[in-house]
Amino acid sequence: RFLSLKTRQAFVSRFDRFTVGGGPDSIAVLDQRVTVRRGFASAVSLSDSRRAFGWLNVSPGVNANVVVFDFDEQGHRIVPAATWSSQLALSSTAYGTFKPPLPGLVGLRHIVAPSVSFSYSPDFSNLQYTDSLGRRRERFNSFGGIGISGFRSANMNFSLDQRFQVKWRRGDQVTRLDNLLSWTTAGYFNFLYREAHQKHGLSPLSSAIRLQPPGLVSADVNGTVDVYEGRPLRNLGYNVGMNLASSGAKRAPAALAVDQTVRRSDIAPEEDFRENWRLSLAYSYSGGYAGPSWSSQKTANAVLSYSFSPNWQFDYSTAFDFTRSEVLSQRFSLTRRIHCWDAVFTRSFTPGGEAEYYFRLGIRDQREVYIERGTRVQSFGGIQ
């Protein structure tokens, strides 16, 4: 990549002072500063990926960055500079199959996928210089994305992914669930933590768990553990969602609906209409140490959609803060289908704020033809 960058910038060169009406006054005189920078940058990488011993994935690699500047801060012209770094990634996968004595359960598989990667880059002292006052300064100034930096680093990143797969039988039908439970733990270690004036080289460990059973409920849990702290669990959060519907369970995660418009598919045609409803519930918790004590926040939200005729649909959503025991928001929406038109009226309420409304009347097959009044994007008390 080659770049030639010319910049013209105004600056105040002086102030001309004079007297107007017997009083002092002044005017700023502007001048212009023109700078021209040119540079060349190239990135080169070489990597490999192969399997060792039949079970270990090995991926080494090396990267190089080459930059040619038009000048440096020491006054040299046409100055080249280069840096390099290397990495090595190792990973593998192991699994075991079990058959617990449970009715209908055909098998349970536990998959473990550990991975670790090492990265190293040396210190490039030629990218800095010592000025007349003995201070270390950068030798090159970056511009327009042309730049280079080289600091010594030596890190190790590691992770452990686990999955539980289930296969069960119901009559003559066998169902397989590939991701009943997934669990990921990750962290890193800085081999040069003493040079960085850190107390420890090992970072806090982050962990995330997702449970997706076939049915009404799904759950996510995440947290951070610091093994050097007296209370290792530093933060914890989880979210539990449930979806109910007149036509059966829905596995989509519960969420607070914020769309103010109506899609054509939201209301069934009259000849195919069947009275139906959908209810989504969600509860979330987040807590952690912001200081010496643990603080947390607990929130729940609910979304209800009810089609009680071929041309009418009612929607309601609310959010509740269990921490402060107050309602965060409420929203009511009524949709009317009129021949080729859709009419939507929405009313929302938030504590400490004004009630908002939104009305829209538009042609169903020509979305660009409509009239509207009120607030299109309404606030929802902190949950968006």
Side-chain angles (χ1 to χ4, degrees):
R1 177 173 177 241
F2 175 78
L3 175 66
S4 179
L5 178 65
K6 182 178 181 180
T7 305
R8 185 174 64 180
Q9 185 177 7
F11 67 96
V12 178
S13 61
R14 70 178 188 277
F15 287 92
D16 289 346
R17 304 183 184 280
F18 49 88
T19 302
V20 177
D25 202 347
S26 64
I27 187 172
V29 179
L30 299 181
D31 204 343
Q32 290 187 346
R33 180 185 296 110
V34 179
T35 59
V36 178
R37 295 299 310 269
R38 295 184 177 91
F40 169 82
S42 179
V44 182
S45 64
L46 178 65
S47 61
D48 186 28
S49 179
R50 60 185 64 247
R51 186 181 295 271
F53 312 110
W55 56 270
L56 181 62
N57 300 315
V58 182
S59 300
V62 61
N63 307 307
N65 293 310
V66 179
V67 179
V68 180
F69 289 93
D70 48 359
F71 61 86
D72 64 7
E73 294 302 303
Q74 294 179 294
H76 302 116
R77 309 290 298 182
I78 315 298
V79 188
T83 62
W84 66 270
S85 63
S86 60
Q87 66 274 346
L88 174 65
L90 306 173
S91 64
S92 184
T93 302
Y95 65 90
T97 303
F98 313 93
K99 189 176 181 181
L102 298 176
L105 186 61
V106 178
L108 173 66
R109 173 182 288 179
H110 181 202
I111 301 176
V112 180
S115 64
V116 59
S117 63
F118 303 89
S119 62
Y120 172 77
S121 63
D123 182 24
F124 296 88
S125 57
N126 61 330
L127 300 182
Q128 296 181 336
Y129 73 97
T130 303
D131 63 10
S132 58
L133 299 178
R135 296 173 297 186
R136 297 290 294 174
R137 294 186 177 275
E138 296 293 331
R139 185 180 171 189
F140 302 100
N141 285 330
S142 302
F143 64 95
I146 302 292
I148 193 170
S149 63
F151 298 95
R152 186 186 179 200
S153 64
N155 298 306
M156 176 183 67
N157 294 272
F158 56 89
S159 66
L160 179 64
D161 293 333
Q162 302 183 70
R163 285 188 299 163
F164 291 88
Q165 299 177 340
V166 174
K167 184 184 294 185
W168 72 93
R169 184 188 306 274
R170 180 177 297 176
D172 296 332
Q173 183 180 6
V174 177
T175 304
R176 176 178 174 179
L177 187 63
D178 290 335
N179 293 295
L180 173 64
L181 177 67
S182 59
W183 185 4
T184 302
T185 303
Y188 71 90
F189 186 86
N190 182 8
F191 293 100
L192 305 178
Y193 69 93
R194 290 187 179 89
E195 297 182 9
H197 306 289
Q198 299 176 352
K199 293 182 179 180
H200 312 286
L202 181 64
S203 71
L205 304 179
S206 60
S207 189
I209 301 174
R210 168 165 290 186
L211 178 64
Q212 304 177 89
L216 307 176
V217 181
S218 62
D220 291 276
V221 182
N222 58 79
T224 303
V225 174
D226 192 341
V227 297
Y228 300 108
E229 294 289 343
R231 297 176 178 177
L233 184 61
R234 306 311 298 171
N235 59 71
L236 175 68
Y238 61 85
N239 181 78
V240 180
M242 174 182 293
N243 285 269
L244 304 172
S246 56
S247 57
K250 301 295 183 181
R251 291 189 54 197
L256 183 62
V258 297
D259 190 6
Q260 305 295 332
T261 61
V262 173
R263 297 179 297 273
R264 183 176 182 178
S265 58
D266 286 344
I267 302 179
E270 186 170 357
E271 59 272 13
D272 299 329
F273 175 76
R274 182 178 62 179
E275 183 176 338
N276 63 83
W277 56 269
R278 298 189 304 271
L279 176 63
S280 300
L281 303 173
Y283 178 84
S284 62
Y285 171 91
S286 61
Y289 285 103
S293 60
W294 181 277
S295 60
S296 63
Q297 183 175 1
K298 299 177 283 291
T299 308
N301 64 70
V303 177
L304 172 64
S305 180
Y306 177 45
S307 298
F308 51 89
S309 80
N311 298 318
W312 287 95
Q313 178 171 308
F314 172 75
D315 294 280
Y316 172 74
S317 61
T318 183
F320 186 81
D321 188 343
F322 281 93
T323 305
R324 295 179 293 181
S325 298
E326 67 178 14
V327 177
L328 295 177
S329 66
Q330 290 190 89
R331 193 197 69 160
F332 303 85
S333 179
L334 191 62
T335 303
R336 174 71 165 111
R337 183 175 183 175
I338 311 172
H339 188 54
C340 62
W341 298 77
D342 284 330
V344 183
F345 179 79
T346 301
R347 187 74 164 170
S348 65
F349 306 87
T350 56
E354 296 183 358
E356 300 172 272
Y357 82 95
Y358 176 71
F359 175 76
R360 176 190 174 103
L361 178 64
I363 300 178
R364 187 177 307 109
D365 293 331
Q366 296 182 357
R367 304 282 297 179
E368 67 277 5
V369 180
Y370 65 91
I371 59 172
E372 63 179 356
R373 292 292 185 272
T375 307
R376 177 184 297 183
V377 181
Q378 301 177 0
S379 59
F380 279 84
I383 295 182
Q384 301 293 338

